[in-house]
Amino acid sequence: MPEKVKFLLAEEQIPTRWVNLLADLPGDPPPPPLHPGSGEPLGPDDLAPLFPVALIEQEVSAEPEIEIPEQVREIYKLWRPTPLHRAHRLERELDTPARIYYKYEGVSPAGSHKPNTAVAQAFYNREAGVRKLATETGAGQWGSALALACQLFGLDCEVFMVGVSYDQKPYRKAMMETWGATVHRSPSELTEAGRSQAEHESGSLGIAISEAVEVATGADDTNYALGSVLNHVCLHQTVIGQESIAQMEQAGEPPDVVVGCVGGGSNFAGLSYPFLRQRIRDGAEIRFVAAEPTACPTLTRGRYAYDFGDTVGMTPLMPMYTLGHDFVPPQVHAGGLRYHGDAPSLSALVKEGLMEAKAIAQTAAFEAAVRFARCEGIIPAPEPAHAIRAVFDEAEAAKEAGEPRVILFNLSGHGHFDMSAYEAYFAGELEELAMPEDELSSALERLPEAPALS
């Protein structure tokens, strides 16, 4: 019987609702975000200068599901539903009894999962009468996605791109500009936040966030849009997991382990949260593995504490695993994973033992990405290359145990704009970067004063 490679859904099977996992979490509610000035729990009025009411309501919603607006679903049809692949060739390459599947989000116009939330955020801001969105971008995937979404809804878009990625990936900048966005290298001279961080020439997501927030709060017609971390962003990404559940049913087997890369947490949450709801509600025996870089090991070496989401300290204090808000990560090529903290919801799940985390070295990630590309044909972005390395480890564990485990991972984007990183890998020029213990300790000593988290 021929091997089935792709499991496809019809446009009519695009999810009609987003999954809000917060409604299903066992135990006490997650700690609330705190106002950066008063230290009191954040209220809707505190978020109003940045976000439209609809997104603020989603951020704090206790509803288990939230309806996806029809205009958003119509735009989703440009690339959704995305395919689920069975990696037969990779399985043979790894000589494993494991059965490996991957959800491929690189088929979106921007080449990643990011438009799933960019389109939703642009829609709600347009409905609220906003004229422009300001944002940051690490590898350029989020900036590209928001530029596209703003173009589709008639909004202006201003992007602060982390300096090292701005230099490494000029065609990401060109892509954003093609969709009408204005792109600045961060740190820039355009904002007080950027000028204050001029010494960190390579930039960081935390610095770029500070710049974008400053622009948004300084103009009545401008809002801020974030590509990861916040509850409403993770919520919008759950179309990935919902489609994957239906596609795994087509394949006739549920996953034993779900894997994804983590920087802020949105692509991993998007795949894993609908499956985690099955585990919580129905007792499904599924493990969840979050793969992060050794150079920015928030979940594996960070502290679970309140911290700012940006470098300067303009954003609310978030309960999360953090390396310290003023930590500037080394110049790894996985720019989308160079963030000092993780989504509060994901952090809480790791803290409670419902999800695992492991750190992956940069060269190991690229070695896995090249082997994957030579088997499956798709060149992965450096970010999901970390997930692929974790999949290799899971496949090897299945081989050692002699068990035909089912592994599902999120191939969250292609690497067509990352070929300079592959070139450096082939030339043996990629550094093996890890965060020194003294730097970590120093950064954590500078955490803001806030209530301790248990």
Side-chain angles (χ1 to χ4, degrees):
M1 183 176 179
E3 296 177 332
K4 186 165 184 178
V5 173
K6 294 193 300 295
F7 298 86
L8 306 174
L9 301 176
E11 288 180 359
E12 294 74 24
Q13 293 173 282
I14 295 173
T16 59
R17 295 176 176 274
W18 292 302
V19 169
N20 182 17
L21 185 66
L22 297 183
D24 284 277
L25 292 181
D28 296 329
L34 304 179
H35 190 282
S38 68
E40 295 297 317
L42 210 63
D45 291 344
D46 298 318
L47 294 174
L50 296 176
F51 305 112
V53 172
L55 292 181
I56 295 172
E57 290 175 347
Q58 291 178 10
E59 187 67 21
V60 299
S61 175
E63 295 296 320
E65 295 181 348
I66 293 174
E67 184 175 356
I68 303 176
E70 187 60 32
Q71 290 186 57
V72 173
R73 292 186 75 242
E74 282 299 312
I75 292 178
Y76 278 175
K77 288 180 182 178
L78 291 174
W79 71 94
R80 305 215 71 86
T82 59
L84 179 81
H85 292 242
R86 170 78 183 272
H88 295 285
R89 291 176 176 79
L90 182 63
E91 293 167 11
R92 290 192 285 270
E93 164 72 14
L94 299 177
D95 188 26
T96 177
R99 296 188 289 278
I100 301 172
Y101 296 83
Y102 58 94
K103 181 69 162 166
Y104 184 40
E105 292 292 301
V107 297
S108 79
S112 77
H113 67 293
K114 294 291 188 178
N116 297 329
T117 184
V119 169
Q121 291 189 52
F123 167 77
Y124 287 118
N125 276 284
R126 196 277 306 274
E127 293 296 287
V130 173
R131 185 186 67 83
K132 184 174 83 171
L133 290 177
T135 196
E136 74 294 325
T137 193
Q141 291 181 345
W142 169 241
S144 301
L146 193 66
L148 168 66
C150 285
Q151 182 60 225
L152 293 172
F153 284 107
L155 303 178
D156 291 338
C157 182
E158 186 169 3
V159 181
F160 289 87
M161 188 173 184
V162 172
V164 63
S165 292
Y166 184 98
D167 299 337
Q168 291 173 346
K169 303 174 185 181
Y171 296 122
R172 274 289 177 189
K173 172 178 177 287
M175 188 182 217
M176 291 180 251
E177 291 173 337
T178 300
W179 283 321
T182 301
V183 186
H184 311 295
R185 190 186 191 281
S186 175
S188 76
E189 289 290 320
L190 301 173
T191 67
E192 184 177 340
R195 292 188 292 272
S196 73
Q197 299 298 315
E199 64 185 288
H200 300 299
E201 195 267 344
S202 64
S204 73
L205 273 169
I207 296 171
I209 290 172
S210 296
E211 294 207 77
V213 168
E214 182 177 327
V215 167
T217 56
D220 292 337
D221 63 352
T222 302
N223 269 357
Y224 171 66
L226 186 63
S228 191
V229 176
L230 295 178
N231 293 338
H232 68 266
V233 180
C234 295
L235 174 84
H236 300 155
Q237 293 293 352
T238 59
V239 292
I240 303 172
Q242 292 182 79
E243 289 180 4
S244 297
I245 288 173
Q247 289 163 316
M248 293 302 290
E249 289 174 353
Q250 283 186 13
E253 51 187 3
D256 296 306
V257 58
V258 173
V259 181
C261 65
V262 172
S266 69
N267 93 86
F268 182 56
L271 176 64
S272 64
Y273 282 10
F275 284 100
L276 182 54
R277 185 170 70 169
Q278 287 188 331
R279 173 173 161 178
I280 293 170
R281 290 186 176 184
D282 307 323
E285 295 185 3
I286 308 173
R287 290 174 49 237
F288 300 91
V289 179
E292 63 182 10
T294 55
C296 196
T298 50
L299 293 172
T300 51
R301 294 176 62 197
R303 180 181 299 170
Y304 187 56
Y306 273 111
D307 198 7
F308 297 111
D310 71 311
T311 297
V312 175
M314 299 172 66
T315 63
L317 292 163
M318 309 294 286
M320 60 184 180
Y321 279 99
T322 179
L323 300 172
H325 60 278
D326 58 358
F327 166 67
V328 177
Q331 297 182 33
V332 293
H333 282 274
L337 306 186
R338 294 178 72 246
Y339 184 57
H340 67 270
D342 287 286
S345 59
L346 175 60
S347 295
L349 292 167
V350 171
K351 183 73 166 57
E352 293 300 318
L354 292 172
M355 291 187 167
E356 306 167 28
K358 67 184 308 179
I360 304 294
Q362 179 169 235
T363 53
F366 273 90
E367 185 272 336
V370 170
R371 289 182 72 186
F372 178 88
R374 291 176 178 176
C375 294
E376 296 298 310
I378 299 171
I379 299 174
E383 291 81 12
H386 292 71
I388 294 172
R389 177 67 254 180
V391 168
F392 283 18
D393 294 342
E394 292 292 329
E396 181 63 24
K399 181 179 179 179
E400 292 176 357
E403 297 177 358
R405 298 171 186 168
V406 178
I407 304 169
L408 169 65
F409 76 96
N410 193 4
L411 181 48
S412 58
H414 65 63
H416 298 173
F417 292 92
D418 302 283
M419 299 317 297
S420 63
Y422 279 90
E423 189 175 42
Y425 170 75
F426 292 129
E429 296 172 355
L430 281 189
E431 296 181 68
E432 203 60 276
L433 300 168
M435 186 177 183
E437 188 62 37
D438 58 339
E439 286 187 22
L440 174 60
S441 299
S442 176
L444 292 177
E445 286 176 0
R446 297 190 295 275
L447 288 175
E449 292 187 13
L453 296 174
S454 60

